[in-house]
């Protein structure tokens, strides 16, 4: 490397680089790793070496060292159940992502490089844990702004049809619900009324007038989502349902997801499901609120898990139960939802494996009654949830969901 | 067996801590290079490589460490290196024939006191000399075969009395055991199919692999999340996670790079017909990708070769054949496959370095890490150790 002792090792060209540098600690001493003893000494050494290389302006070596940190910590992240992975390993991973993304941007500011750096940030957000005051979110925002300001003409697949759905040959079977008991509906009940009549007795209910004025109801469309989140990397589930053998999870940008699984006559079902999109992209969080009813729980507000569920017509979530209370807000499109009380669990034939013990073996709309005879007699409630409506799914209440249209829902899990 | 001829060690793979591969300068070594152990002329018979350091044990009982952990000690019979713990089997303190198991923090440079010590009872017979029963082991299985060492507490783990263990290997979340009858057992986490019982469920206790019952195995090896066993007749069985092609089955990630057997062949390392993997699918039909293989699958090596030894890194696999060829496949980003590049492969590829020099890999050890070490049986009697 050319050595010019008088030259600031971190001097780089470009406004993007300056903006990134402004976010980072100014010196390597100020970059506090703050890692517990759970993280092996050798890894800490390597990470320290990477930060030294970074602040010493030795970008290529920093990239290599960061890569080694990423590869090793990735293995830790894949060891054991996710909830048991030590948070500090996730922070190590996030540090690796931060340094790698920064090094990439020091070299070049062209769209391909910045998109790659943004993907690295998203990996750090998806798999890592918060470091340096949520720095990865800020870095990602800067990179995203930079990408959008150099908008290429063919950024998204189709931008001119935000709300039209392609005519599909497949039938959309809207369930004939005449014979089904429907979920009761209430308009803006008071907190006490809701608690007394639904939360405590654990009864489902649809709340109207609660979320229908949220900004998302008017603002969100395919076009808007592509604008705000198009270049961001998200996890996508591919396959009809997660109980299928062919089912898998993969990563892609929101643009790729829309192009492949929503717009262009998709071959497979893809579902952007159960993803904390609003932590990743704070701008979207401004379009939603947290329903007041969540504060009736025991937890703190920051313990509420907010998930996005975005996918084409036809996505199915097999009948299953969750360990927390759920308020499901429908934003785009309609969903057919069936609900079975936990008291009916036996008639729902849950899988006996540990992995799927909260999932029923029965295909709700095409049940094999020879194999699962009791299912036919199990009572249930059902509804078609439409934009603006909020469904309360009590803790452990079995629920089955099928999207009747292109759909976007937001769920709030609380205790 | 005939008296072992002395040989030379070669290494390749990740070297980010200067742990004695080749010149020790490069971060990754892409092709086998003669191994350099600290201290000249060490007659190394055991090498245990962890991610950031390597432990060498000589026939004279000398232990040397290289890489992020340093230090040396005498009186060592065996060593097992992991990032969390360095475990040594040393001659006992007194005149009795027992031995002492010591666990050290790798950063301690073997100074001060070990983290814990466990006296190991004397075995029935001593070293693997002629007339003696071949010992169980190496570490993490103890020579008495009644217990093994774990890098996570509890460190000393007894095995059920009925189990007559010959070999034991640890993956990131699971354990494999080969007993004296050639039966394979597995236990631990199973979310990637690494236990081989056909499910993704964990097993708390050693459970025999029904799929391999009646097929006596000679070797077992454990990668991070995959498992390999070699039968007495030289067949290779493999199961677990295939995310980098470590099972030699088509994997999606490599297809996207154009390197899977289901896609275009990206250049072969040996002449002759393409190697096909054992993935399902009729001829002409697109081969499905396999992410997880929860049952043992039989693997065909090129040219119908018979395997004699298998070893795994965290995400790659290596096999030595009866005719002295080394095949590697799986994750190759750090050169751990030894093919002079950083490609990953989802089918067995021969390591040409040894063929070109007419050397025959004979015995080797890889580790939970990227690093790979080979002991090669040379024709000329020579002890070669280079740093």
């Amino acid at each position: 490397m050319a050595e010019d002792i008088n030259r600031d090792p971190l001097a780089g060209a470009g406004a993007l680089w300056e903006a990134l540098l402004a976010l980072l600690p100014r010196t390597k001493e100020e970059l506090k790793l703050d890692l517990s003893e759970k993280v092996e000494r050798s890894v800490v050494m390597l990470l320290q070496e990477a930060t030294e290389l970074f602040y010493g302006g030795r970008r290529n070596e920093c990239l290599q060292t960061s890569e080694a940190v990423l590869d090793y910590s990735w293995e830790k992240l894949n060891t054991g159940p996710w909830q048991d992975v030590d948070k500090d390993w996730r922070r190590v991973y996030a540090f690796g992502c931060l340094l790698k993304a920064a090094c990439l941007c020091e070299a070049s500011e062209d769209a391909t490089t910045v998109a790659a750096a943004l993907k690295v940030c998203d990996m750090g957000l998806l798999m890592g844990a918060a470091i340096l005051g949520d720095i990865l979110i800020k870095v990602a925002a800067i990179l995203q702004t930079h990408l959008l300001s150099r908008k290429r003409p063919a950024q998204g697949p189709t931008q001119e049809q935000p709300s039209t759905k392609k005519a599909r040959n497949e039938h959309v079977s809207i369930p004939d619900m005449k014979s089904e008991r429907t979920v009761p509906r209430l308009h803006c009940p008071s907190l006490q009324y809701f608690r007394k009549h639904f939360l405590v007795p654990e009864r489902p209910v649809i709340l109207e007038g609660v979320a229908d004025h949220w900004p998302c109801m008017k603002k969100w469309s395919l076009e808007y989502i592509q604008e705000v989140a198009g270049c961001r990397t998200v996890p996508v589930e591919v396959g009809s349902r997660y109980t299928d053998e062919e089912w898998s999870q993969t990563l892609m940008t929101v643009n790729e997801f829309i192009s492949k699984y929503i717009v262009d006559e998709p071959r497979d079902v893809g579902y952007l499901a159960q993803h904390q999109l609003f932590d990743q992209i704070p701008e979207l969080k401004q379009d939603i609120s947290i329903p007041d009813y969540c504060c009736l729980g025991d937890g703190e507000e920051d313990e509420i898990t907010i998930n996005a569920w975005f996918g084409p017509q036809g996505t199915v979530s097999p009948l299953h139960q969750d360990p927390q209370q759920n308020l499901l807000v429908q934003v785009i499109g309609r969903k057919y939802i069936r609900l079975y009380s936990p008291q009916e669990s036996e008639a729902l034939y849950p899988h006996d494996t540990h992995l799927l013990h909260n999932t029923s073996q029965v295909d709700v709309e095409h049940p094999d009654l020879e194999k699962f005879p009791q299912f036919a007699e199990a009572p249930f409630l059902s509804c078609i949830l439409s934009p603006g409506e909020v469904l309360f799914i009590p803790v452990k209440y079995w629920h089955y969901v099928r999207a009747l249209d292109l759909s976007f829902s937001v769920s709030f899990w609380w205790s | 067996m005939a008296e072992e001829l002395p040989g030379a060690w070669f290494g390749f793979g990740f070297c980010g801590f200067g742990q004695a591969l080749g010149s020790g300068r490069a971060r990754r070594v892409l092709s086998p290079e003669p191994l350099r152990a600290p201290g000249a002329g060490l007659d190394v018979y055991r090498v245990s490589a962890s991610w950031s350091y390597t432990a060498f044990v000589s026939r004279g009982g000398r232990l040397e460490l290289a890489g992020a952990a340093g230090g040396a000690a005498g009186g060592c019979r065996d060593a097992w290196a992991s990032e969390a713990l360095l475990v040594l089997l040393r001659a006992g303190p007194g005149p009795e024939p027992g031995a002492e198991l010591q666990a050290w923090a790798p950063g301690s440079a073997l100074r001060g006191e070990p983290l814990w010590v466990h006296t190991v009872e004397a075995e029935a017979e001593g070293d693997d000399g002629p007339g003696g029963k071949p010992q169980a082991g190496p570490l993490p299985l103890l020579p008495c075969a009644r217990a093994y060492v774990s890098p996570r507490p509890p460190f000393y783990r007894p095995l059920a009395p009925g189990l007559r263990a010959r070999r034991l290997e640890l993956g990131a979340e699971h354990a494999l055991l080969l007993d004296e009858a050639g039966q394979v057992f597995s236990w631990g986490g199973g979310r990637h199919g690494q236990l081989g019982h056909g499910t993704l469920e964990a097993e708390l206790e050693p459970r025999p692999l029904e799929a391999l019952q009646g097929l006596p195995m000679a070797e077992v090896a454990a990668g991070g999340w995959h498992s390999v066993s070699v039968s007495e007749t030289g067949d290779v069985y493999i199961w677990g996670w295939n995310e980098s092609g470590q099972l030699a089955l088509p994997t999606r990630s490599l297809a996207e790079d154009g390197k899977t057997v289901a896609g275009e062949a990206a250049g072969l390392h040996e002449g002759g017909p393409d190697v096909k993997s054992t993935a399902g699918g009729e001829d002409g039909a697109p081969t499905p990708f396999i992410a997880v293989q929860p049952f043992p699958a039989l693997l065909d090596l090129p040219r119908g070769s018979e395997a004699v030894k298998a070893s795994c890194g965290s995400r790659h696999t290596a096999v030595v054949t009866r005719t002295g060829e080394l095949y590697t496949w799986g994750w190759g980003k750090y050169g751990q496959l030894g093919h002079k590049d950083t490609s990953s492969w989802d089918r067995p590829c021969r390591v040409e370095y040894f063929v070109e020099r007419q050397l025959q890999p004979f015995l080797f050890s890889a580790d939970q890490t990227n690093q790979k070490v080979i002991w090669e049986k040379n024709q000329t009697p020579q002890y070669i150790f280079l740093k």
Side-chain angles (χ1 to χ4, degrees):
Chain A
M1 272 206 67
E3 300 284 349
D4 179 350
I5 299 177
N6 295 326
R7 176 176 167 276
D8 174 7
L10 289 182
L16 176 63
W17 174 247
E18 297 300 322
L20 287 180
L21 216 50
L23 284 178
L24 292 161
R26 263 175 324 131
T27 64
K28 75 169 193 278
E29 287 74 26
E30 288 175 44
L31 201 158
K32 304 275 182 230
L33 293 178
D34 214 4
L35 298 165
S36 78
E37 288 194 353
K38 284 266 170 73
V39 177
E40 291 138 9
R41 185 183 142 266
S42 48
V43 179
V44 177
M45 277 168 53
L46 205 60
L47 196 44
Q48 281 168 342
E49 187 187 323
T51 56
E52 274 182 36
L53 290 167
F54 180 78
Y55 285 99
R58 290 155 70 179
R59 179 177 46 82
N60 277 327
E61 292 173 71
C62 178
L63 264 176
Q64 282 185 37
T65 312
S66 306
E67 199 68 36
V69 169
L70 283 173
D71 284 325
Y72 187 77
S73 54
W74 184 90
E75 297 200 349
K76 294 292 185 190
L77 264 45
N78 279 277
T79 302
W82 178 247
Q83 58 264 30
D84 292 348
V85 172
D86 196 279
K87 197 163 179 190
D88 271 352
W89 280 116
R90 296 175 56 193
R91 297 180 62 241
V92 169
Y93 187 82
F95 275 116
C97 288
L98 176 66
L99 292 172
K100 179 174 177 179
C103 285
L104 287 174
C105 291
E106 201 225 341
S108 147
E109 301 198 353
D110 70 81
T112 317
T113 308
V114 176
L118 181 56
K119 182 164 187 149
V120 172
C121 286
D122 278 334
M123 291 306 298
L125 288 168
L126 286 171
M127 308 248 291
I131 50 167
L132 301 177
D134 276 324
I135 194 173
L136 279 176
I137 295 186
K138 299 173 192 163
V139 172
I142 290 187
L143 297 177
Q144 186 171 1
T145 308
H146 184 89
L147 268 181
L148 290 176
S149 71
R150 307 159 61 117
K151 195 167 179 154
R152 294 163 291 160
Q155 185 191 1
T158 50
Q159 290 172 314
E160 60 292 344
Q161 309 159 32
S163 55
T164 55
K165 293 154 280 193
K166 288 228 164 206
R168 297 172 71 96
N169 296 334
E170 306 159 49
H171 58 280
V172 183
S173 62
I174 313 275
D176 171 13
M177 294 173 59
K178 284 199 222 72
S179 57
E180 300 182 358
R181 282 176 56 216
T182 57
V183 180
R185 289 160 177 272
L186 278 184
H187 185 89
C188 282
S190 70
L191 291 180
Q192 296 89 310
Y193 190 92
F194 172 78
R195 189 216 308 261
K196 179 173 173 187
H197 293 273
F198 297 96
L199 179 59
V200 169
E202 294 180 5
R203 291 213 185 104
V205 61
I206 292 179
L207 306 169
E208 295 169 343
V210 168
D212 53 345
H213 286 115
W214 289 4
C216 58
M217 301 300 170
K218 283 220 169 76
K219 279 171 84 178
W220 288 7
S221 63
L222 273 186
E223 190 180 55
Y224 175 79
I225 290 165
Q226 285 179 290
E227 254 179 56
V228 171
C231 50
R232 304 299 298 270
T233 299
V234 292
V236 170
E237 301 181 357
V238 180
S240 306
R241 50 203 78 200
Y242 68 79
T243 41
D244 280 354
E245 260 191 32
E246 303 303 310
W247 184 85
S248 67
Q249 289 175 298
T250 185
L251 294 166
M252 62 186 72
T253 65
V254 171
N255 281 337
E256 287 165 347
F257 170 66
I258 291 177
S259 148
K260 194 166 177 188
Y261 294 104
I262 294 189
V263 175
D264 293 335
E265 299 235 352
R267 273 188 317 160
D268 298 311
V269 175
Y271 197 6
L272 204 182
Q274 198 176 324
H275 175 52
Q276 294 179 49
L277 188 66
F278 308 98
D279 288 343
Q280 186 184 7
I281 307 174
E283 191 179 337
L284 276 176
K285 199 165 183 180
Q286 306 199 355
D287 295 337
I288 60 172
S289 308
I290 298 185
D292 290 335
Y293 305 94
C294 296
C295 80
L296 293 170
D298 302 320
E300 301 288 327
E301 187 171 299
D302 56 13
E303 288 168 353
I304 299 174
T305 305
I306 309 176
N307 276 313
W309 306 78
F310 175 41
Q313 171 192 91
T315 61
V316 168
S317 295
L319 188 62
H320 70 284
Q321 57 178 188
D322 296 314
Q324 289 188 285
Q325 316 280 7
N326 184 359
L327 282 167
L328 181 66
V329 178
Q330 192 61 18
V331 182
I332 299 176
R334 300 161 301 160
K335 279 188 160 149
Y336 172 65
I337 302 176
R338 244 203 240 183
L339 300 164
Y340 290 81
S341 160
Q343 292 170 338
E344 305 303 325
S345 295
E346 208 187 288
L348 305 180
Y349 304 89
H351 288 265
D352 57 12
T353 64
H354 175 73
L355 227 57
L356 291 176
H357 72 279
N358 65 343
T359 305
S360 159
Q361 297 180 66
V362 186
D363 181 350
V364 166
E365 290 185 275
H366 311 283
D368 181 343
L369 293 174
E370 273 182 35
K371 221 170 152 187
F372 309 117
Q374 289 186 59
F375 182 76
E377 300 309 311
F380 61 87
L381 295 169
S382 67
C383 66
I384 291 182
L385 196 68
S386 299
E389 299 177 347
V390 181
L391 172 65
F392 167 60
I393 304 177
V395 58
K396 296 269 190 188
Y397 222 89
W398 295 87
H399 49 289
Y400 164 90
V401 184
R402 173 163 66 90
L404 303 176
D405 312 304
L406 165 70
S407 164
F408 202 131
S409 319
V410 181
S411 66
F412 297 82
W413 288 348
W414 48 287
S415 294
Chain B
M1 284 197 91
E3 206 185 318
E4 288 171 338
L5 287 173
W9 289 89
F10 295 83
F12 40 98
F14 175 66
C15 188
F17 293 88
Q19 56 260 60
L21 287 180
S23 63
R25 284 185 184 273
R27 263 177 206 289
R28 29 188 193 186
V29 177
L30 306 185
S31 186
E33 291 187 17
L35 205 61
R36 305 182 191 205
L42 258 193
D43 168 20
V44 170
Y45 85 109
R46 173 87 69 231
V47 177
S48 181
S50 186
W51 176 66
S52 69
Y53 72 101
T54 309
F56 303 89
V57 182
S58 76
R59 273 175 231 275
R62 183 137 184 91
L63 166 84
E64 299 269 356
L65 301 177
C76 281
R77 291 167 47 185
D78 198 0
W80 187 66
S82 74
E83 289 307 297
L85 222 55
L86 168 66
V87 180
L88 306 180
L89 191 65
R90 300 177 81 165
E96 310 89 47
E100 197 173 72
L101 198 63
Q102 297 180 345
W104 293 80
S108 68
L110 298 174
R111 283 196 285 268
E113 292 302 310
L115 295 175
W116 56 266
V117 169
H118 186 103
T119 308
V120 176
E121 62 200 60
E123 309 88 44
E125 173 59 355
D127 303 335
D128 41 9
K133 185 175 87 157
Q135 275 192 351
L139 289 176
L141 183 63
L142 298 189
C144 60
R146 302 264 181 78
Y148 66 101
V149 186
S150 165
R152 289 181 288 271
F155 302 121
Y156 179 86
R157 301 197 181 189
L159 289 166
L163 280 174
R164 300 158 61 79
R166 197 198 317 167
R167 254 193 181 32
L168 187 146
E169 289 238 333
L170 297 179
E173 310 175 46
H174 75 299
L176 287 182
L177 184 150
L178 179 65
D179 77 358
E180 289 181 359
Q183 172 69 45
V184 179
F185 296 75
S186 68
W187 68 100
R191 293 164 330 115
H192 294 289
Q194 63 265 56
L195 299 184
H197 302 301
T199 72
L200 304 180
E201 300 287 294
E203 295 284 339
L204 291 176
E205 296 296 325
R207 179 177 160 188
L209 261 74
E210 284 164 22
L212 300 179
Q213 247 156 9
L215 296 166
M217 296 291 143
E219 298 287 341
V220 288
W225 301 269
H226 70 295
S227 309
V228 184
S229 73
V230 178
S231 74
E232 286 177 355
T233 52
D235 290 324
V236 178
Y237 294 86
I238 197 160
W239 61 98
W241 205 12
N242 190 46
E243 49 76 41
S244 283
Q246 58 264 56
L247 303 189
L249 296 171
T251 184
R252 191 182 299 271
S253 59
L254 293 185
E256 280 153 18
D257 295 342
K259 288 204 167 74
T260 189
V261 67
E264 308 281 74
L268 296 176
H269 284 271
E270 61 261 21
D274 275 13
V275 176
K276 292 292 178 201
S277 81
T278 55
E282 300 91 78
D283 284 35
T287 327
F289 297 120
I290 300 201
V292 164
Q293 173 70 27
F295 277 114
L298 175 61
L299 170 62
D300 292 322
L301 289 175
R303 292 182 272 268
S305 304
E306 288 177 10
V308 292
K309 189 90 166 73
S311 192
C312 301
S314 63
R315 296 152 69 187
H316 76 282
T317 312
V319 156
V320 170
T321 68
R322 221 179 278 286
T323 52
E325 293 175 313
L326 174 68
Y327 288 89
T328 59
W329 61 92
W331 195 38
K333 184 171 170 183
Y334 290 87
Q336 61 266 54
L337 300 186
H339 298 154
K340 298 187 204 159
D341 60 20
T342 56
S343 303
S344 300
W345 286 89
D346 61 1
R347 52 178 153 153
C349 286
R350 190 170 65 182
V351 178
E352 296 302 319
Y353 176 89
F354 297 103
V355 178
E356 288 157 9
R357 289 159 186 70
Q358 297 177 318
L359 302 175
Q360 293 185 335
F362 177 67
L363 183 71
F364 65 118
S365 73
D367 216 89
Q368 286 318 103
T369 72
N370 318 317
Q371 199 174 3
K372 167 61 75 67
V373 179
I374 294 262
W375 181 45
E376 173 276 334
K377 184 170 156 182
N378 208 320
Q379 304 299 38
T380 58
Q382 210 172 34
Y383 291 76
I384 301 174
F385 265 122
L386 310 158
K387 170 94 177 134

